[in-house]
Amino acid sequence: MLKILRLLLFVNLTFTCGEPIQAESFKAAGIASAHPLATKAGYEILEQGGNAFDAAVTVSAVLSVVEPYSSGLGGGGFFLLHSVEKNESIFIDAREKAPSMANRDMYLDENGDVLRTASLNGPLASGIPGLPAALHHVANKHGSMPLYKLLQPAIVLARNGFPAYERLITALTVAERSRTLSPKFKAVFMPNGKLPNVGEVIKQPELAKTLEIIASSGQEGFYSSFFTETMIEEAREDGSIWLADDFKNYSVVEREPITINFLGAQLTTAPPPSSGGTTIATILNIISEFDFSRMDTSTRAHLIIEAMRRAYRDRAFYLGDPDFVDVPISKLISKEHALDLAQTIDMEAATPIHKDDQLDGKLAWNEGAHTSHFSILDMNGNRAAVTQTINTWFGSGYMLPSSGLILNNEMDDFSAKPFAPNRYGLVHGEQNSIQPNKRMLSSMTPTFIESDRGLAILGTPGGARIITMVLLSILDYFDGGDAKSMTASKRFHHQFLPDVIRYEKDTFSDEVLKGLETKGHTLQEISSYGNMQVVTWENESGKVESSSDPRGIIEGYDIDFY
Ligand code: GLY
């Protein structure tokens, strides 16, 4: 069975060797983002003659203002860009970095136990933000319009305000119940000590000023100025260990994306410090070792789950910041490694966790909606897939008083102690331990698919589950799914530890559920999760389709779309 599909794959590989798609092939643009105001602002930039990278800067900045629970200038992100003119894809790593005063055991008590909330709440949980540097870098190196123009829509929305909506209020309710929110945070989002009503205008004047500083002085304004000193002073007063040099030395890194050949198509996706690309490559390579396309639903689900289990185990043991540790990427994404792993799969039974792997996996918290993804295709075929985050709902729950920045709590994505689960229940080894100036491992997975059908640009929020959501969308695309189906299809997830399959209602029929249980899997139905944003382009018709996840639709905004 293994060999048959290998042959099929080989035959299908011819497309990836084909000519690059030319700009003339594109007749329409598409943007999918988590908020209508961000999508609208992005389209306006394209209308004014901006390219996909200009629009990416605008959409990113607007999301930072209107979706403050997901991402923002106090956090970081990954920008996967493709330039048609250069026929080149690049990955801009704007991940936060640990402060230089950080150390491996900084979130442990005197007994060596993890101080669970220390890496989640307040300024000590916050890495050095990367998103402002990304806005500057993308606009200056890849865009065609000045940064100050690209940031105007975000500045206006921060200064004049935007109407509160259900999802924002839900996020505030969760945040208020689950953590300490800083006084400035409350003053902005809960004036008079009350949650806002739908439609109530939320203004962020300090954030508007911060955006203005970035608009006029770029990287230097944010990372190396009097403004920076004030931010650091305020953060340190409330427990941060940030230093001025941490900001001065911060820069984004352009990295080569991971490319995967699958069923004759090329996938371009996120390299470390994202774990997304390598984990997806391993899963796809494993399932390619089987006659996957002819399997019944139950067998197929079992195979995907077993592949997820193995790839997430690799994630836990091998992945970390490639600037600090050796990550064996070529081995992890190789066909040989996948074959070795595939040969350990029993198609009749779930693989029990080995006694050496009895690590401390616990169930993750709800992780459906924080972090934000958007996808852009411009009229010339340039593409942007961007995932940005402040980690959990409203990050650390701490807002810097004079800059209006909500600080990330990305330090929780490090391993506070080897193989102790983080907020997402994910375990990591020494590769992802805390070191000064190191980037913490991420699951964010902005991705392009280029096939004989056309293109897809995709990604989603969702913590540890980002990777399996992107994987399932890729598989849906190869099953013939369009953008709508890629965003709407039901989801399931296995992350090695805890050893449980989590799935959305109606993902599996009763028969499949029974089959999986009989094979020894533990299953847990959970509420729906994710907020996938997909843009597709069809080769033959030239049709562009943009689709936002039905799970994340924000109602009540009357906006004309293209
Ligand atoms: N903070 C979530 C991630 O980067 O994976």
Side-chain angles (χ1 to χ4, degrees):
M1 180 147 71
L2 294 188
K3 294 290 162 231
I4 301 171
L5 196 76
R6 281 188 122 189
L7 262 177
L8 281 174
L9 283 176
F10 187 74
V11 172
N12 279 339
L13 271 174
T14 45
F15 168 76
T16 51
C17 307
E19 293 295 308
I21 310 164
Q22 302 299 321
E24 302 78 59
S25 310
F26 296 90
K27 308 262 176 306
I31 300 181
S33 92
H35 200 292
L37 289 171
T39 305
K40 178 174 181 276
Y43 274 125
E44 282 168 1
I45 292 296
L46 294 181
E47 244 185 9
Q48 291 163 31
N51 61 24
F53 319 130
D54 293 313
V57 171
T58 299
V59 174
S60 168
V62 170
L63 285 172
S64 301
V65 174
V66 300
E67 216 203 3
Y69 46 85
S70 285
S71 69
L73 298 181
F78 297 140
F79 287 60
L80 180 64
L81 309 179
H82 179 86
S83 155
V84 166
E85 199 189 335
K86 296 185 191 151
N87 186 30
E88 180 187 75
S89 296
I90 50 148
F91 179 82
I92 296 166
D93 172 0
R95 185 70 163 155
E96 300 90 332
K97 290 170 87 168
S100 56
M101 299 263 289
N103 71 74
R104 184 181 177 279
D105 299 332
M106 64 187 279
Y107 299 117
L108 302 184
D109 66 16
E110 59 279 11
N111 301 318
D113 294 327
V114 177
L115 294 160
R116 204 39 283 186
T117 54
S119 58
L120 286 166
N121 293 340
L124 187 63
S126 186
I128 308 303
L131 202 65
L135 299 178
H136 170 93
H137 180 86
V138 174
N140 284 284
K141 184 149 181 218
H142 303 281
S144 65
M145 290 168 70
L147 181 60
Y148 75 84
K149 203 157 180 195
L150 300 176
L151 295 186
Q152 281 316 302
I155 293 170
V156 170
L157 283 161
R159 190 189 302 118
N160 297 351
F162 68 93
Y165 49 96
E166 288 290 358
R167 201 171 172 83
L168 172 80
I169 297 163
T170 306
L172 283 168
T173 312
V174 173
E176 193 189 23
R177 278 196 203 134
S178 56
R179 61 209 321 190
T180 313
L181 300 169
S182 73
K184 183 67 189 179
F185 180 98
K186 286 196 198 157
V188 171
F189 292 109
M190 302 175 194
N192 312 316
K194 284 202 323 246
L195 289 168
N197 296 313
V198 171
E200 200 171 318
V201 173
I202 308 270
K203 296 186 184 181
Q204 301 171 79
E206 292 83 6
L207 188 62
K209 280 193 208 132
T210 301
L211 281 159
E212 272 165 350
I213 287 169
I214 299 170
S216 60
S217 319
Q219 170 109 10
E220 195 176 338
F222 186 86
Y223 290 91
S224 191
S225 70
F226 179 68
F227 167 84
T228 325
E229 281 168 30
T230 311
M231 276 198 305
I232 294 170
E233 216 169 278
E234 288 176 354
R236 286 187 71 102
E237 259 170 40
D238 285 316
S240 165
I241 50 172
W242 286 355
L243 296 178
D245 276 350
D246 298 346
F247 279 74
K248 258 193 206 121
N249 297 334
Y250 185 89
S251 64
V252 301
V253 185
E254 288 206 353
R255 302 187 191 273
E256 208 170 301
I258 286 190
T259 51
I260 307 165
N261 290 332
F262 182 65
L263 296 177
Q266 176 164 294
L267 313 184
T268 305
T269 184
S274 168
S275 54
T278 38
T279 307
I280 285 181
T282 307
I283 296 171
L284 291 176
N285 284 338
I286 292 175
I287 63 179
S288 297
E289 294 293 339
F290 294 80
D291 196 355
F292 180 68
S293 53
R294 285 180 220 163
M295 281 176 178
D296 62 65
T297 321
S298 175
T299 314
R300 189 173 157 144
H302 173 70
L303 174 61
I304 295 172
I305 289 154
E306 289 303 315
M308 287 175 179
R309 181 200 299 282
R310 283 157 179 77
Y312 270 80
R313 185 181 187 281
D314 279 355
R315 181 193 187 282
F317 281 96
Y318 299 115
L319 295 188
D321 181 348
D323 295 340
F324 279 74
V325 293
D326 281 334
V327 183
I329 302 178
S330 354
K331 179 186 153 115
L332 294 174
I333 67 173
S334 70
K335 298 276 178 205
E336 292 72 28
H337 181 59
L339 180 60
D340 285 348
L341 294 176
Q343 282 168 343
T344 66
I345 294 178
D346 180 344
M347 290 306 290
E348 301 308 321
T351 307
I353 296 284
H354 188 270
K355 67 174 173 29
D356 294 341
D357 283 346
Q358 295 290 348
L359 309 170
D360 191 15
K362 296 223 172 70
L363 287 183
W365 296 19
N366 185 326
E367 53 185 86
H370 38 76
T371 303
S372 199
H373 176 87
F374 59 91
S375 296
I376 302 180
L377 175 73
D378 72 19
M379 295 276 288
N380 293 316
N382 298 306
R383 290 145 235 170
V386 179
T387 315
Q388 56 186 46
T389 187
I390 48 174
N391 200 23
T392 61
W393 292 102
F394 290 107
S396 66
Y398 179 90
M399 183 183 276
L400 284 174
S402 54
S403 63
L405 237 60
I406 300 173
L407 298 188
N408 69 82
N409 57 357
E410 224 72 60
M411 292 297 284
D412 192 63
D413 275 350
F414 277 119
S415 93
K417 179 179 173 178
F419 297 105
N422 74 355
R423 166 73 184 268
Y424 301 116
L426 283 169
V427 294
H428 306 107
E430 279 297 350
Q431 294 279 84
N432 189 36
S433 63
I434 304 170
Q435 283 177 255
N437 307 314
K438 188 177 178 184
R439 288 176 154 94
M440 54 297 281
L441 192 62
S442 172
S443 298
M444 294 187 289
T445 316
T447 298
F448 302 143
I449 305 173
E450 205 173 317
S451 79
D452 51 4
R453 251 180 77 188
L455 297 172
I457 306 167
L458 65 151
T460 181
R465 297 181 210 143
I466 289 175
I467 303 169
T468 53
M469 282 188 264
V470 172
L471 170 87
L472 295 176
S473 266
I474 291 170
L475 293 176
D476 189 70
Y477 180 85
F478 285 97
D479 281 341
D482 58 10
K484 212 165 164 194
S485 155
M486 289 168 77
T487 51
S489 316
K490 294 290 173 187
R491 296 169 176 153
F492 60 94
H493 174 78
H494 192 293
Q495 62 181 46
F496 167 55
L497 284 170
D499 183 9
V500 56
I501 304 164
R502 297 181 194 126
Y503 64 96
E504 291 181 327
K505 189 170 174 352
D506 298 331
T507 303
F508 301 122
S509 65
D510 288 347
E511 197 188 330
V512 172
L513 280 178
K514 206 160 158 235
L516 289 170
E517 272 163 5
T518 309
K519 285 183 166 65
H521 291 286
T522 306
L523 289 123
Q524 182 196 21
E525 184 183 305
I526 56 172
S527 52
S528 61
Y529 59 92
N531 199 4
M532 177 82 59
Q533 307 294 326
V534 176
V535 175
T536 55
W537 169 80
E538 294 290 336
N539 201 356
E540 266 180 30
S541 62
K543 186 176 151 203
V544 170
E545 199 187 348
S546 308
S547 180
S548 291
D549 200 316
R551 299 160 185 83
I553 296 294
I554 292 171
E555 309 281 358
Y557 280 81
D558 186 16
I559 286 166
D560 289 334
F561 289 103
Y562 278 50

